[in-house]
Amino acid sequence: MTRIIAGAAGGRRLLTPPGAGTRPTSDRVREAVFGRLEHLDAITGSHVVDLYAGSGALALEAVSRGASSALLVESDRRAAATIDQNVRHLGLAGVQVRTGTVETLVRAPLTPAADLLFVDPPYAVSDPALADVLSQLVDHDSLALDAVLVVERSSRSAEPLWPAGVELIGPRRYGETTCWFAEFVPHGDSA
């Protein structure tokens, strides 16, 4: 069972897409990720972008915890329909679901730019393809200054190839899952 852990919709169940095409982030991993994001003060008032959204659990958790809006992108129509159902069931405002490929979406600017970005691609997405997605986001000004990025990969995967302006905060390993936290600080302007 997947559920929203905390915030306005805390404890409410989420539907998961049918079939084996998606692997929702476990509640345990999500709770740890959001603990880290709260420590980084990356949630409240943020515009969230969730690429390869699956069930929508990551972005919906963020909105439940105080993010102001979210864009969820999912290429699988059944998964996108499940996200729509979850949004209606939870009654969270400011959530938009877009059906289409991430690779197409990132080739144009996202408006508003993401303050918090979740990237949880299928394991079959190659490291170079992931690097291209991240580069396109930077190249098209789709990340707000100081945006926090969370990239979820198999613990067997290498560290993502970060584009210029994105600095690693650090990885967190949760069993078979590693979440890579990074921040967009163009020109090396670290805080």
Side-chain angles (χ1 to χ4, degrees), residues 48-101:
V48 177
V49 175
D50 188 352
L51 304 178
Y52 311 98
S55 67
L58 290 168
L60 296 175
E61 183 77 38
V63 173
S64 177
R65 292 177 184 234
S68 63
S69 61
L71 170 63
L72 295 84
V73 181
E74 177 55 55
S75 64
D76 182 275
R77 290 190 186 285
R78 291 184 308 167
T82 300
I83 297 169
D84 278 328
Q85 288 178 304
N86 284 331
V87 170
R88 284 193 306 277
H89 169 69
L90 297 173
L92 296 172
V95 179
Q96 178 186 5
V97 180
R98 201 172 292 172
T99 305
T101 68

mmCIF file of all heavy atoms in Angstrom, residues 48-101:
data_model
loop_
_atom_site.group_PDB
_atom_site.id
_atom_site.type_symbol
_atom_site.label_atom_id
_atom_site.label_comp_id
_atom_site.label_asym_id
_atom_site.label_seq_id
_atom_site.Cartn_x
_atom_site.Cartn_y
_atom_site.Cartn_z
ATOM 1 N N VAL A 48 7.114 22.308 -7.730
ATOM 2 C CA VAL A 48 7.702 20.985 -7.871
ATOM 3 C C VAL A 48 7.497 20.480 -9.296
ATOM 4 O O VAL A 48 6.414 20.637 -9.858
ATOM 5 C CB VAL A 48 7.038 19.992 -6.883
ATOM 6 C CG1 VAL A 48 7.581 18.585 -7.070
ATOM 7 C CG2 VAL A 48 7.215 20.468 -5.452
ATOM 8 N N VAL A 49 8.528 19.867 -9.852
ATOM 9 C CA VAL A 49 8.409 19.152 -11.115
ATOM 10 C C VAL A 49 8.828 17.719 -10.848
ATOM 11 O O VAL A 49 9.889 17.461 -10.274
ATOM 12 C CB VAL A 49 9.273 19.784 -12.224
ATOM 13 C CG1 VAL A 49 9.230 18.933 -13.492
ATOM 14 C CG2 VAL A 49 8.789 21.207 -12.527
ATOM 15 N N ASP A 50 7.968 16.778 -11.230
ATOM 16 C CA ASP A 50 8.199 15.346 -11.026
ATOM 17 C C ASP A 50 8.245 14.674 -12.390
ATOM 18 O O ASP A 50 7.211 14.535 -13.050
ATOM 19 C CB ASP A 50 7.085 14.766 -10.155
ATOM 20 C CG ASP A 50 7.317 13.331 -9.714
ATOM 21 O OD1 ASP A 50 8.277 12.691 -10.198
ATOM 22 O OD2 ASP A 50 6.518 12.850 -8.894
ATOM 23 N N LEU A 51 9.456 14.318 -12.834
ATOM 24 C CA LEU A 51 9.633 13.678 -14.136
ATOM 25 C C LEU A 51 9.599 12.163 -13.959
ATOM 26 O O LEU A 51 10.183 11.647 -13.011
ATOM 27 C CB LEU A 51 10.952 14.109 -14.762
ATOM 28 C CG LEU A 51 11.141 15.623 -14.934
ATOM 29 C CD1 LEU A 51 12.513 15.917 -15.528
ATOM 30 C CD2 LEU A 51 10.041 16.216 -15.802
ATOM 31 N N TYR A 52 8.954 11.459 -14.876
ATOM 32 C CA TYR A 52 8.721 10.011 -14.772
ATOM 33 C C TYR A 52 7.905 9.764 -13.504
ATOM 34 O O TYR A 52 8.284 8.989 -12.629
ATOM 35 C CB TYR A 52 10.041 9.230 -14.719
ATOM 36 C CG TYR A 52 11.052 9.582 -15.780
ATOM 37 C CD1 TYR A 52 12.095 10.458 -15.503
ATOM 38 C CD2 TYR A 52 10.970 9.012 -17.043
ATOM 39 C CE1 TYR A 52 13.053 10.767 -16.478
ATOM 40 C CE2 TYR A 52 11.924 9.328 -18.024
ATOM 41 C CZ TYR A 52 12.958 10.201 -17.729
ATOM 42 O OH TYR A 52 13.900 10.504 -18.677
ATOM 43 N N ALA A 53 6.761 10.412 -13.390
ATOM 44 C CA ALA A 53 6.017 10.515 -12.130
ATOM 45 C C ALA A 53 5.416 9.220 -11.604
ATOM 46 O O ALA A 53 5.160 9.126 -10.403
ATOM 47 C CB ALA A 53 4.922 11.580 -12.266
ATOM 48 N N GLY A 54 5.136 8.231 -12.449
ATOM 49 C CA GLY A 54 4.589 6.959 -11.952
ATOM 50 C C GLY A 54 3.233 7.138 -11.295
ATOM 51 O O GLY A 54 2.265 7.499 -11.944
ATOM 52 N N SER A 55 3.158 6.936 -9.978
ATOM 53 C CA SER A 55 1.899 7.121 -9.246
ATOM 54 C C SER A 55 1.712 8.569 -8.812
ATOM 55 O O SER A 55 0.631 8.945 -8.357
ATOM 56 C CB SER A 55 1.876 6.228 -7.999
ATOM 57 O OG SER A 55 2.844 6.663 -7.060
ATOM 58 N N GLY A 56 2.774 9.375 -8.920
ATOM 59 C CA GLY A 56 2.717 10.763 -8.464
ATOM 60 C C GLY A 56 3.058 10.933 -6.998
ATOM 61 O O GLY A 56 2.974 12.033 -6.463
ATOM 62 N N ALA A 57 3.476 9.854 -6.335
ATOM 63 C CA ALA A 57 3.677 9.889 -4.887
ATOM 64 C C ALA A 57 4.654 10.968 -4.429
ATOM 65 O O ALA A 57 4.408 11.628 -3.418
ATOM 66 C CB ALA A 57 4.131 8.518 -4.388
ATOM 67 N N LEU A 58 5.744 11.176 -5.158
ATOM 68 C CA LEU A 58 6.737 12.157 -4.717
ATOM 69 C C LEU A 58 6.190 13.580 -4.757
ATOM 70 O O LEU A 58 6.244 14.311 -3.761
ATOM 71 C CB LEU A 58 8.013 12.039 -5.551
ATOM 72 C CG LEU A 58 8.831 10.771 -5.310
ATOM 73 C CD1 LEU A 58 9.908 10.622 -6.378
ATOM 74 C CD2 LEU A 58 9.441 10.775 -3.920
ATOM 75 N N ALA A 59 5.653 13.988 -5.892
ATOM 76 C CA ALA A 59 5.130 15.359 -6.005
ATOM 77 C C ALA A 59 3.910 15.559 -5.117
ATOM 78 O O ALA A 59 3.753 16.627 -4.506
ATOM 79 C CB ALA A 59 4.782 15.676 -7.452
ATOM 80 N N LEU A 60 3.045 14.565 -5.028
ATOM 81 C CA LEU A 60 1.849 14.707 -4.197
ATOM 82 C C LEU A 60 2.221 14.795 -2.717
ATOM 83 O O LEU A 60 1.604 15.548 -1.962
ATOM 84 C CB LEU A 60 0.874 13.567 -4.468
ATOM 85 C CG LEU A 60 0.314 13.544 -5.898
ATOM 86 C CD1 LEU A 60 -0.561 12.318 -6.116
ATOM 87 C CD2 LEU A 60 -0.436 14.831 -6.223
ATOM 88 N N GLU A 61 3.254 14.072 -2.313
ATOM 89 C CA GLU A 61 3.766 14.200 -0.939
ATOM 90 C C GLU A 61 4.259 15.625 -0.710
ATOM 91 O O GLU A 61 3.984 16.226 0.335
ATOM 92 C CB GLU A 61 4.892 13.194 -0.701
ATOM 93 C CG GLU A 61 5.443 13.198 0.703
ATOM 94 C CD GLU A 61 4.546 12.499 1.713
ATOM 95 O OE1 GLU A 61 3.933 11.465 1.383
ATOM 96 O OE2 GLU A 61 4.465 13.008 2.855
ATOM 97 N N ALA A 62 4.979 16.183 -1.688
ATOM 98 C CA ALA A 62 5.499 17.547 -1.545
ATOM 99 C C ALA A 62 4.362 18.559 -1.409
ATOM 100 O O ALA A 62 4.417 19.453 -0.558
ATOM 101 C CB ALA A 62 6.394 17.895 -2.734
ATOM 102 N N VAL A 63 3.328 18.432 -2.235
ATOM 103 C CA VAL A 63 2.197 19.368 -2.152
ATOM 104 C C VAL A 63 1.472 19.193 -0.820
ATOM 105 O O VAL A 63 1.085 20.174 -0.181
ATOM 106 C CB VAL A 63 1.251 19.200 -3.365
ATOM 107 C CG1 VAL A 63 0.001 20.051 -3.197
ATOM 108 C CG2 VAL A 63 1.979 19.567 -4.656
ATOM 109 N N SER A 64 1.309 17.960 -0.371
ATOM 110 C CA SER A 64 0.687 17.721 0.926
ATOM 111 C C SER A 64 1.463 18.411 2.049
ATOM 112 O O SER A 64 0.879 18.891 3.011
ATOM 113 C CB SER A 64 0.609 16.212 1.198
ATOM 114 O OG SER A 64 0.062 15.955 2.475
ATOM 115 N N ARG A 65 2.783 18.498 1.881
ATOM 116 C CA ARG A 65 3.651 19.087 2.910
ATOM 117 C C ARG A 65 3.890 20.582 2.714
ATOM 118 O O ARG A 65 4.717 21.163 3.411
ATOM 119 C CB ARG A 65 4.991 18.362 2.941
ATOM 120 C CG ARG A 65 4.897 16.934 3.441
ATOM 121 C CD ARG A 65 6.248 16.265 3.379
ATOM 122 N NE ARG A 65 6.194 14.877 3.759
ATOM 123 C CZ ARG A 65 6.953 14.326 4.707
ATOM 124 N NH1 ARG A 65 7.818 15.066 5.372
ATOM 125 N NH2 ARG A 65 6.852 13.044 4.968
ATOM 126 N N GLY A 66 3.218 21.219 1.753
ATOM 127 C CA GLY A 66 3.314 22.676 1.655
ATOM 128 C C GLY A 66 3.886 23.249 0.377
ATOM 129 O O GLY A 66 4.026 24.464 0.269
ATOM 130 N N ALA A 67 4.252 22.416 -0.596
ATOM 131 C CA ALA A 67 4.667 22.969 -1.890
ATOM 132 C C ALA A 67 3.476 23.695 -2.497
ATOM 133 O O ALA A 67 2.325 23.280 -2.326
ATOM 134 C CB ALA A 67 5.148 21.854 -2.818
ATOM 135 N N SER A 68 3.727 24.779 -3.225
ATOM 136 C CA SER A 68 2.611 25.578 -3.744
ATOM 137 C C SER A 68 1.996 24.993 -5.011
ATOM 138 O O SER A 68 0.815 25.214 -5.272
ATOM 139 C CB SER A 68 3.058 27.014 -3.990
ATOM 140 O OG SER A 68 4.057 27.046 -4.990
ATOM 141 N N SER A 69 2.791 24.276 -5.808
ATOM 142 C CA SER A 69 2.254 23.711 -7.046
ATOM 143 C C SER A 69 3.162 22.581 -7.510
ATOM 144 O O SER A 69 4.297 22.441 -7.043
ATOM 145 C CB SER A 69 2.168 24.785 -8.140
ATOM 146 O OG SER A 69 3.464 25.300 -8.424
ATOM 147 N N ALA A 70 2.630 21.795 -8.445
ATOM 148 C CA ALA A 70 3.417 20.682 -8.976
ATOM 149 C C ALA A 70 3.002 20.370 -10.404
ATOM 150 O O ALA A 70 1.825 20.441 -10.757
ATOM 151 C CB ALA A 70 3.248 19.432 -8.110
ATOM 152 N N LEU A 71 4.001 20.016 -11.204
ATOM 153 C CA LEU A 71 3.806 19.496 -12.548
ATOM 154 C C LEU A 71 4.342 18.078 -12.544
ATOM 155 O O LEU A 71 5.520 17.862 -12.229
ATOM 156 C CB LEU A 71 4.562 20.342 -13.581
ATOM 157 C CG LEU A 71 4.640 19.757 -14.994
ATOM 158 C CD1 LEU A 71 3.254 19.629 -15.620
ATOM 159 C CD2 LEU A 71 5.570 20.593 -15.866
ATOM 160 N N LEU A 72 3.483 17.125 -12.875
ATOM 161 C CA LEU A 72 3.873 15.723 -12.928
ATOM 162 C C LEU A 72 3.860 15.275 -14.378
ATOM 163 O O LEU A 72 2.862 15.492 -15.078
ATOM 164 C CB LEU A 72 2.917 14.858 -12.112
ATOM 165 C CG LEU A 72 2.914 15.107 -10.603
ATOM 166 C CD1 LEU A 72 2.007 16.264 -10.245
ATOM 167 C CD2 LEU A 72 2.484 13.866 -9.872
ATOM 168 N N VAL A 73 4.943 14.660 -14.827
ATOM 169 C CA VAL A 73 5.086 14.245 -16.217
ATOM 170 C C VAL A 73 5.220 12.732 -16.269
ATOM 171 O O VAL A 73 6.089 12.158 -15.601
ATOM 172 C CB VAL A 73 6.319 14.906 -16.870
ATOM 173 C CG1 VAL A 73 6.430 14.484 -18.329
ATOM 174 C CG2 VAL A 73 6.235 16.420 -16.741
ATOM 175 N N GLU A 74 4.354 12.108 -17.061
ATOM 176 C CA GLU A 74 4.356 10.648 -17.184
ATOM 177 C C GLU A 74 3.978 10.284 -18.609
ATOM 178 O O GLU A 74 3.007 10.808 -19.142
ATOM 179 C CB GLU A 74 3.368 10.036 -16.187
ATOM 180 C CG GLU A 74 3.217 8.549 -16.269
ATOM 181 C CD GLU A 74 4.528 7.780 -16.145
ATOM 182 O OE1 GLU A 74 5.259 7.980 -15.154
ATOM 183 O OE2 GLU A 74 4.824 6.975 -17.058
ATOM 184 N N SER A 75 4.760 9.389 -19.216
ATOM 185 C CA SER A 75 4.497 9.013 -20.608
ATOM 186 C C SER A 75 3.452 7.910 -20.742
ATOM 187 O O SER A 75 2.757 7.838 -21.755
ATOM 188 C CB SER A 75 5.791 8.577 -21.303
ATOM 189 O OG SER A 75 6.310 7.421 -20.695
ATOM 190 N N ASP A 76 3.315 7.061 -19.734
ATOM 191 C CA ASP A 76 2.358 5.961 -19.796
ATOM 192 C C ASP A 76 0.950 6.490 -19.492
ATOM 193 O O ASP A 76 0.705 7.036 -18.412
ATOM 194 C CB ASP A 76 2.758 4.878 -18.792
ATOM 195 C CG ASP A 76 1.837 3.682 -18.843
ATOM 196 O OD1 ASP A 76 0.777 3.719 -18.182
ATOM 197 O OD2 ASP A 76 2.165 2.715 -19.563
ATOM 198 N N ARG A 77 0.045 6.318 -20.444
ATOM 199 C CA ARG A 77 -1.310 6.878 -20.287
ATOM 200 C C ARG A 77 -2.054 6.294 -19.080
ATOM 201 O O ARG A 77 -2.774 7.011 -18.391
ATOM 202 C CB ARG A 77 -2.123 6.664 -21.564
ATOM 203 C CG ARG A 77 -1.626 7.511 -22.712
ATOM 204 C CD ARG A 77 -2.590 7.462 -23.904
ATOM 205 N NE ARG A 77 -2.040 8.161 -25.042
ATOM 206 C CZ ARG A 77 -1.970 9.484 -25.151
ATOM 207 N NH1 ARG A 77 -2.408 10.241 -24.191
ATOM 208 N NH2 ARG A 77 -1.451 10.032 -26.233
ATOM 209 N N ARG A 78 -1.874 5.016 -18.823
ATOM 210 C CA ARG A 78 -2.559 4.411 -17.667
ATOM 211 C C ARG A 78 -2.011 4.981 -16.361
ATOM 212 O O ARG A 78 -2.763 5.252 -15.430
ATOM 213 C CB ARG A 78 -2.424 2.888 -17.689
ATOM 214 C CG ARG A 78 -3.205 2.252 -18.827
ATOM 215 C CD ARG A 78 -3.149 0.745 -18.785
ATOM 216 N NE ARG A 78 -1.763 0.296 -18.706
ATOM 217 C CZ ARG A 78 -1.393 -0.936 -18.417
ATOM 218 N NH1 ARG A 78 -2.293 -1.861 -18.173
ATOM 219 N NH2 ARG A 78 -0.117 -1.269 -18.370
ATOM 220 N N ALA A 79 -0.690 5.160 -16.307
ATOM 221 C CA ALA A 79 -0.096 5.751 -15.104
ATOM 222 C C ALA A 79 -0.565 7.192 -14.926
ATOM 223 O O ALA A 79 -0.897 7.612 -13.811
ATOM 224 C CB ALA A 79 1.429 5.671 -15.169
ATOM 225 N N ALA A 80 -0.607 7.968 -16.019
ATOM 226 C CA ALA A 80 -1.079 9.355 -15.938
ATOM 227 C C ALA A 80 -2.533 9.407 -15.471
ATOM 228 O O ALA A 80 -2.906 10.282 -14.681
ATOM 229 C CB ALA A 80 -0.909 10.046 -17.285
ATOM 230 N N ALA A 81 -3.352 8.470 -15.928
ATOM 231 C CA ALA A 81 -4.755 8.411 -15.478
ATOM 232 C C ALA A 81 -4.821 8.097 -13.986
ATOM 233 O O ALA A 81 -5.664 8.644 -13.261
ATOM 234 C CB ALA A 81 -5.522 7.374 -16.292
ATOM 235 N N THR A 82 -3.922 7.239 -13.511
ATOM 236 C CA THR A 82 -3.867 6.928 -12.081
ATOM 237 C C THR A 82 -3.474 8.167 -11.280
ATOM 238 O O THR A 82 -4.047 8.439 -10.223
ATOM 239 C CB THR A 82 -2.865 5.778 -11.817
ATOM 240 O OG1 THR A 82 -3.306 4.616 -12.537
ATOM 241 C CG2 THR A 82 -2.769 5.457 -10.337
ATOM 242 N N ILE A 83 -2.519 8.931 -11.787
ATOM 243 C CA ILE A 83 -2.124 10.175 -11.101
ATOM 244 C C ILE A 83 -3.320 11.118 -11.029
ATOM 245 O O ILE A 83 -3.598 11.703 -9.976
ATOM 246 C CB ILE A 83 -0.941 10.860 -11.809
ATOM 247 C CG1 ILE A 83 0.305 9.978 -11.786
ATOM 248 C CG2 ILE A 83 -0.653 12.212 -11.158
ATOM 249 C CD1 ILE A 83 1.421 10.473 -12.695
ATOM 250 N N ASP A 84 -4.051 11.272 -12.144
ATOM 251 C CA ASP A 84 -5.250 12.130 -12.144
ATOM 252 C C ASP A 84 -6.236 11.680 -11.070
ATOM 253 O O ASP A 84 -6.809 12.516 -10.357
ATOM 254 C CB ASP A 84 -5.931 12.105 -13.518
ATOM 255 C CG ASP A 84 -5.296 13.045 -14.519
ATOM 256 O OD1 ASP A 84 -4.782 14.108 -14.107
ATOM 257 O OD2 ASP A 84 -5.320 12.720 -15.719
ATOM 258 N N GLN A 85 -6.434 10.372 -10.957
ATOM 259 C CA GLN A 85 -7.336 9.847 -9.920
ATOM 260 C C GLN A 85 -6.815 10.194 -8.525
ATOM 261 O O GLN A 85 -7.600 10.578 -7.646
ATOM 262 C CB GLN A 85 -7.484 8.332 -10.048
ATOM 263 C CG GLN A 85 -8.306 7.885 -11.232
ATOM 264 C CD GLN A 85 -8.351 6.358 -11.306
ATOM 265 O OE1 GLN A 85 -7.310 5.703 -11.346
ATOM 266 N NE2 GLN A 85 -9.554 5.818 -11.312
ATOM 267 N N ASN A 86 -5.512 10.057 -8.316
ATOM 268 C CA ASN A 86 -4.937 10.385 -7.005
ATOM 269 C C ASN A 86 -5.101 11.859 -6.681
ATOM 270 O O ASN A 86 -5.432 12.218 -5.550
ATOM 271 C CB ASN A 86 -3.453 9.981 -6.962
ATOM 272 C CG ASN A 86 -3.258 8.493 -6.800
ATOM 273 O OD1 ASN A 86 -4.088 7.801 -6.221
ATOM 274 N ND2 ASN A 86 -2.154 7.987 -7.328
ATOM 275 N N VAL A 87 -4.893 12.722 -7.663
ATOM 276 C CA VAL A 87 -5.045 14.163 -7.445
ATOM 277 C C VAL A 87 -6.486 14.477 -7.036
ATOM 278 O O VAL A 87 -6.721 15.205 -6.066
ATOM 279 C CB VAL A 87 -4.635 14.960 -8.708
ATOM 280 C CG1 VAL A 87 -5.013 16.433 -8.580
ATOM 281 C CG2 VAL A 87 -3.141 14.807 -8.967
ATOM 282 N N ARG A 88 -7.459 13.913 -7.767
ATOM 283 C CA ARG A 88 -8.865 14.150 -7.426
ATOM 284 C C ARG A 88 -9.209 13.600 -6.036
ATOM 285 O O ARG A 88 -9.874 14.265 -5.244
ATOM 286 C CB ARG A 88 -9.784 13.535 -8.478
ATOM 287 C CG ARG A 88 -9.859 14.341 -9.770
ATOM 288 C CD ARG A 88 -11.000 13.904 -10.680
ATOM 289 N NE ARG A 88 -10.992 12.488 -10.977
ATOM 290 C CZ ARG A 88 -10.268 11.897 -11.924
ATOM 291 N NH1 ARG A 88 -9.466 12.620 -12.681
ATOM 292 N NH2 ARG A 88 -10.333 10.597 -12.123
ATOM 293 N N HIS A 89 -8.721 12.393 -5.737
ATOM 294 C CA HIS A 89 -8.999 11.747 -4.454
ATOM 295 C C HIS A 89 -8.435 12.557 -3.281
ATOM 296 O O HIS A 89 -9.074 12.699 -2.245
ATOM 297 C CB HIS A 89 -8.412 10.327 -4.458
ATOM 298 C CG HIS A 89 -8.405 9.657 -3.127
ATOM 299 N ND1 HIS A 89 -9.547 9.247 -2.489
ATOM 300 C CD2 HIS A 89 -7.371 9.336 -2.299
ATOM 301 C CE1 HIS A 89 -9.232 8.700 -1.331
ATOM 302 N NE2 HIS A 89 -7.907 8.739 -1.199
ATOM 303 N N LEU A 90 -7.246 13.104 -3.459
ATOM 304 C CA LEU A 90 -6.602 13.848 -2.382
ATOM 305 C C LEU A 90 -7.112 15.284 -2.269
ATOM 306 O O LEU A 90 -6.987 15.903 -1.217
ATOM 307 C CB LEU A 90 -5.079 13.867 -2.576
ATOM 308 C CG LEU A 90 -4.385 12.507 -2.528
ATOM 309 C CD1 LEU A 90 -2.914 12.659 -2.898
ATOM 310 C CD2 LEU A 90 -4.538 11.856 -1.160
ATOM 311 N N GLY A 91 -7.661 15.818 -3.359
ATOM 312 C CA GLY A 91 -8.170 17.181 -3.345
ATOM 313 C C GLY A 91 -7.090 18.238 -3.176
ATOM 314 O O GLY A 91 -7.348 19.308 -2.624
ATOM 315 N N LEU A 92 -5.885 17.949 -3.663
ATOM 316 C CA LEU A 92 -4.790 18.913 -3.555
ATOM 317 C C LEU A 92 -4.845 19.897 -4.722
ATOM 318 O O LEU A 92 -4.952 19.492 -5.871
ATOM 319 C CB LEU A 92 -3.441 18.185 -3.546
ATOM 320 C CG LEU A 92 -3.200 17.251 -2.355
ATOM 321 C CD1 LEU A 92 -1.922 16.450 -2.562
ATOM 322 C CD2 LEU A 92 -3.135 18.043 -1.060
ATOM 323 N N ALA A 93 -4.741 21.192 -4.406
ATOM 324 C CA ALA A 93 -4.798 22.230 -5.439
ATOM 325 C C ALA A 93 -3.413 22.458 -6.027
ATOM 326 O O ALA A 93 -2.395 22.157 -5.410
ATOM 327 C CB ALA A 93 -5.326 23.530 -4.835
ATOM 328 N N GLY A 94 -3.392 23.015 -7.242
ATOM 329 C CA GLY A 94 -2.147 23.424 -7.864
ATOM 330 C C GLY A 94 -1.360 22.309 -8.516
ATOM 331 O O GLY A 94 -0.176 22.471 -8.787
ATOM 332 N N VAL A 95 -2.012 21.175 -8.771
ATOM 333 C CA VAL A 95 -1.321 20.027 -9.358
ATOM 334 C C VAL A 95 -1.755 19.859 -10.808
ATOM 335 O O VAL A 95 -2.947 19.799 -11.105
ATOM 336 C CB VAL A 95 -1.617 18.732 -8.571
ATOM 337 C CG1 VAL A 95 -0.911 17.542 -9.209
ATOM 338 C CG2 VAL A 95 -1.211 18.888 -7.114
ATOM 339 N N GLN A 96 -0.774 19.777 -11.698
ATOM 340 C CA GLN A 96 -1.030 19.585 -13.129
ATOM 341 C C GLN A 96 -0.343 18.294 -13.562
ATOM 342 O O GLN A 96 0.813 18.055 -13.215
ATOM 343 C CB GLN A 96 -0.477 20.763 -13.930
ATOM 344 C CG GLN A 96 -0.661 20.633 -15.417
ATOM 345 C CD GLN A 96 0.038 21.763 -16.184
ATOM 346 O OE1 GLN A 96 0.736 22.588 -15.622
ATOM 347 N NE2 GLN A 96 -0.148 21.769 -17.477
ATOM 348 N N VAL A 97 -1.065 17.480 -14.347
ATOM 349 C CA VAL A 97 -0.512 16.235 -14.866
ATOM 350 C C VAL A 97 -0.386 16.374 -16.373
ATOM 351 O O VAL A 97 -1.328 16.785 -17.041
ATOM 352 C CB VAL A 97 -1.429 15.028 -14.527
ATOM 353 C CG1 VAL A 97 -0.841 13.743 -15.087
ATOM 354 C CG2 VAL A 97 -1.656 14.935 -13.028
ATOM 355 N N ARG A 98 0.806 16.061 -16.878
ATOM 356 C CA ARG A 98 1.038 16.143 -18.317
ATOM 357 C C ARG A 98 1.445 14.758 -18.820
ATOM 358 O O ARG A 98 2.401 14.171 -18.313
ATOM 359 C CB ARG A 98 2.126 17.156 -18.611
ATOM 360 C CG ARG A 98 2.048 17.658 -20.048
ATOM 361 C CD ARG A 98 2.997 18.806 -20.310
ATOM 362 N NE ARG A 98 2.595 20.016 -19.591
ATOM 363 C CZ ARG A 98 3.340 21.104 -19.526
ATOM 364 N NH1 ARG A 98 4.516 21.142 -20.097
ATOM 365 N NH2 ARG A 98 2.917 22.164 -18.876
ATOM 366 N N THR A 99 0.697 14.262 -19.808
ATOM 367 C CA THR A 99 1.025 12.975 -20.416
ATOM 368 C C THR A 99 1.925 13.231 -21.616
ATOM 369 O O THR A 99 1.560 13.959 -22.528
ATOM 370 C CB THR A 99 -0.253 12.237 -20.865
ATOM 371 O OG1 THR A 99 -1.130 12.123 -19.746
ATOM 372 C CG2 THR A 99 0.071 10.853 -21.394
ATOM 373 N N GLY A 100 3.107 12.652 -21.587
ATOM 374 C CA GLY A 100 4.066 12.811 -22.669
ATOM 375 C C GLY A 100 5.433 12.376 -22.195
ATOM 376 O O GLY A 100 5.634 12.096 -21.006
ATOM 377 N N THR A 101 6.380 12.337 -23.109
ATOM 378 C CA THR A 101 7.715 11.890 -22.715
ATOM 379 C C THR A 101 8.500 13.030 -22.076
ATOM 380 O O THR A 101 8.380 14.195 -22.475
ATOM 381 C CB THR A 101 8.512 11.349 -23.922
ATOM 382 O OG1 THR A 101 8.806 12.420 -24.804
ATOM 383 C CG2 THR A 101 7.761 10.243 -24.642
#
